[in-house]
Amino acid sequence: MDQGLIPNRYAKALYKFALEKNEADRVYELMKNVAASFVGQPQLNDVMANPYVPSGDKTGLLTTAAHASEADVCYADFLKLLVKNKRIEFMRGIALAYLDIYRKANNIYLVKITTASNLPDAEIGRLKALVEKHLGEASVEYTQEVDPELIGGFVIGVNSEQLDASVSNEIKQLRLKLLSN
């Protein structure tokens, strides 16, 4: 079976369940924590896929990864469902799919600002204002990264689109122009 299909189905079901319980926002925060934990601790994927690790340990790890509390009943119930259906190993994909579903439903854009060096807050603020003006009424979640290989300038990624105003891109474009002549 397609591994993308299972996470998407479970994520949709979780989103509907969380909406019914008025917990969609909280589950969104928990899923962001889970996704970040899988990025920060790549061996978490191996642990979830390991059939010799008890389900209780996996549930405990995912509860810790999400920074969930006892009040997060919706999340806890969902983990129980995953264990019951033997789908706990799909949690990373489910978390990512849930984030996508939530962002689409709430008109939230992911914006990644990459610069050649650390910029002063005023400059970052101007870039953010430019992005927000372009996106209008949408909500925006920002991440920032420094990549010295850009040489100068910046790259702004909005969901799957990218604005590359870096010096390295200008050099690349100039090189392509020279080669085509």
Side-chain angles (χ1 to χ4, degrees):
M1 188 171 213
D2 181 9
Q3 287 202 4
L5 187 62
I6 292 170
N8 284 325
R9 285 185 177 170
Y10 276 87
K12 285 178 187 175
L14 175 59
Y15 182 69
K16 287 179 182 177
F17 180 65
L19 276 177
E20 289 173 9
K21 300 290 184 185
N22 293 321
E23 292 287 324
D25 297 340
R26 177 63 182 154
V27 172
Y28 177 66
E29 293 303 318
L30 296 173
M31 290 301 185
K32 282 199 308 189
N33 294 339
V34 169
S37 293
F38 275 99
V39 170
Q41 302 293 327
Q43 65 271 29
L44 192 54
N45 253 338
D46 297 334
V47 172
M48 290 299 125
N50 188 335
Y52 297 108
V53 176
S55 297
D57 291 348
K58 292 178 182 181
T59 302
L61 280 171
L62 291 173
T63 301
T64 302
H67 306 291
S69 68
E70 290 181 18
D72 296 315
V73 178
C74 185
Y75 181 73
D77 288 347
F78 183 70
L79 290 180
K80 288 175 191 171
L81 175 72
L82 291 178
V83 168
K84 178 183 169 201
N85 293 344
K86 297 180 179 18
R87 299 292 195 213
I88 197 85
E89 71 271 10
F90 291 101
M91 189 57 180
R92 179 181 180 273
I94 293 168
L96 294 173
Y98 183 91
L99 294 175
D100 286 343
I101 291 166
Y102 183 90
R103 287 177 182 135
K104 285 177 187 168
N106 292 285
N107 199 26
I108 298 172
Y109 287 90
L110 286 179
V111 176
K112 181 178 179 182
I113 299 174
T114 307
T115 56
S117 62
N118 284 321
L119 293 179
D121 290 340
E123 293 298 317
I124 293 293
R126 287 199 301 178
L127 287 174
K128 287 180 178 180
L130 197 109
V131 168
E132 289 167 9
K133 181 180 176 186
H134 175 71
L135 294 177
E137 297 294 317
S139 298
V140 181
E141 289 183 5
Y142 291 99
T143 57
Q144 288 179 239
E145 186 178 291
V146 174
D147 181 3
E149 290 187 15
L150 294 180
I151 303 171
F154 59 88
V155 176
I156 297 177
V158 179
N159 289 346
S160 61
E161 297 177 19
Q162 185 168 299
L163 167 66
D164 192 340
S166 65
V167 172
S168 63
N169 185 53
E170 293 295 323
I171 292 171
K172 179 180 165 187
Q173 295 301 322
L174 185 60
R175 181 177 176 267
L176 290 173
K177 245 184 213 177
L178 290 172
L179 289 174
S180 68
N181 289 332

